[in-house]
Amino acid sequence: MKTIILSAGQGKRLLPLTAETPKCLLPIQGKKLIEWQIDALFAAGIDRVSVVVGYGADQVERLLTQRYGVGRITLIDNPKFAETDNLVSCWIAREEMNEDFFLLNGDTLFEIAVVRRVLNRAAHPVTVVTAHKSHYDADDMKVTLEGQRLINIGKDLDPEKTDGESVGMILFRGEGPALFRQGLERAMGDPSSSRKWYLSVIRDLCPTMKVWTCSIEGLRSCEVDYPADLKSAAHMVSACACAEESVAECR
């Protein structure tokens, strides 16, 4: 099993923190954001990780080489990161989508149990990982559901008719990788695709009944978009560390 992490962007909403440092290298409780992601993936049994880089690519490569060794993490360069959105990053990484894989946003933190739950419960070609909260705003990637099947996804959905939000993680299994690659190819035929999110491809797949969801209710995840999110992320990783220590003491 492999994971593709989309970490090409600068993270302008985190300026000035990202003026010279890419978002994925921001420190959180003694480690960089991307280190928390990769360590959790490895701990959950994901043995291969590819990272799409762009802004500060040399910094990311240096950190990953120092931490995990030469060649352990595959780097994929998106030279158009400054003028495109993450659909193009996915297109550039499409050759890696040749088997079952997770697609992960570069700003999503999660506890190890999240990956384990999705692997154990998700059996459909495409599974969007979701969370739930009491209210949603314009910046949330909202979802509407029919049972566990995904009906629609987007920031433009009516908050009052929303059933949850995407946490920035999708599992593709079986025919799922091929379906996604085909969707990317169709999307890239549109001149406006350079400014689209890859979730527009997932939205187009919804009518095929191939797209389902997996809720991580009761588990921890966090998206890092704004400076205040760094505090939430620090609290989350601290809580996860305390929980892991408690479990270890009980063994």
Side-chain angles (χ1 to χ4, degrees):
M1 176 72 72
K2 69 171 64 171
T3 294
I4 300 171
I5 304 177
L6 304 178
S7 292
Q10 177 182 1
K12 291 183 179 179
R13 287 181 289 188
L14 283 155
L15 286 170
L17 298 175
T18 54
E20 297 182 0
T21 302
K23 180 197 288 192
C24 66
L25 295 190
L26 291 178
I28 300 171
Q29 293 291 88
K31 291 199 295 190
K32 310 300 185 185
L33 192 161
I34 197 168
E35 290 181 280
W36 285 110
Q37 292 181 309
I38 293 173
D39 289 349
L41 291 166
F42 283 166
I46 306 297
D47 55 357
R48 286 167 295 154
V49 174
S50 298
V51 181
V52 182
V53 295
Y55 182 77
D58 55 338
Q59 297 179 52
V60 180
E61 180 177 13
R62 185 160 53 250
L63 180 279
L64 296 181
T65 299
Q66 290 173 349
R67 176 68 197 281
Y68 302 104
V70 177
R72 178 76 188 278
I73 309 297
T74 300
L75 295 180
I76 304 166
D77 183 51
N78 176 3
K80 298 182 179 181
F81 71 89
E83 59 200 64
T84 62
D85 219 311
N86 59 24
L87 188 151
V88 173
S89 284
C90 286
W91 172 251
I92 290 173
R94 66 191 182 281
E95 297 301 325
E96 292 291 313
M97 303 173 185
N98 55 3
E99 60 182 270
D100 294 0
F101 73 98
F102 273 106
L103 184 62
L104 177 64
N105 290 351
D107 56 9
T108 298
L109 282 177
F110 49 91
E111 62 176 308
I112 299 166
V114 167
V115 181
R116 291 174 176 156
R117 175 179 293 184
V118 179
L119 287 172
N120 289 333
R121 296 186 181 181
H124 295 89
V126 184
T127 301
V128 176
V129 182
T130 62
H132 306 271
K133 56 188 182 182
S134 58
H135 67 278
Y136 301 91
D137 57 40
D139 199 46
D140 293 326
M141 188 59 71
K142 298 173 281 294
V143 300
T144 55
L145 309 176
E146 184 178 276
Q148 291 184 305
R149 189 169 76 84
L150 186 68
I151 301 301
N152 205 351
I153 184 168
K155 291 188 175 184
D156 57 345
L157 301 186
D158 184 349
E160 299 302 318
K161 299 178 181 179
T162 292
D163 298 309
E165 66 175 340
S166 166
V167 302
M169 177 186 291
I170 302 179
L171 176 61
F172 297 87
R173 274 185 158 154
E175 63 178 322
L179 289 172
F180 188 55
R181 291 197 312 271
Q182 292 162 11
L184 288 172
E185 185 171 357
R186 287 192 296 272
M188 289 299 292
D190 180 350
S192 67
S193 63
S194 64
R195 303 308 304 177
K196 288 184 177 181
W197 293 309
Y198 69 83
L199 286 172
S200 64
V201 175
I202 301 300
R203 174 185 270 182
D204 290 344
L205 285 173
C206 286
T208 68
M209 300 188 68
K210 305 287 186 181
V211 186
W212 292 67
T213 61
C214 178
S215 171
I216 57 168
E217 187 78 22
L219 301 179
R220 301 179 182 92
S221 71
C222 177
E223 184 179 33
V224 179
D225 265 333
Y226 298 96
D229 295 334
L230 290 168
K231 293 183 179 180
S232 299
H235 289 313
M236 193 204 85
V237 297
S238 294
C240 290
C242 290
E244 295 254 339
E245 289 175 5
S246 297
V247 171
E249 290 173 359
C250 294
R251 287 174 182 165

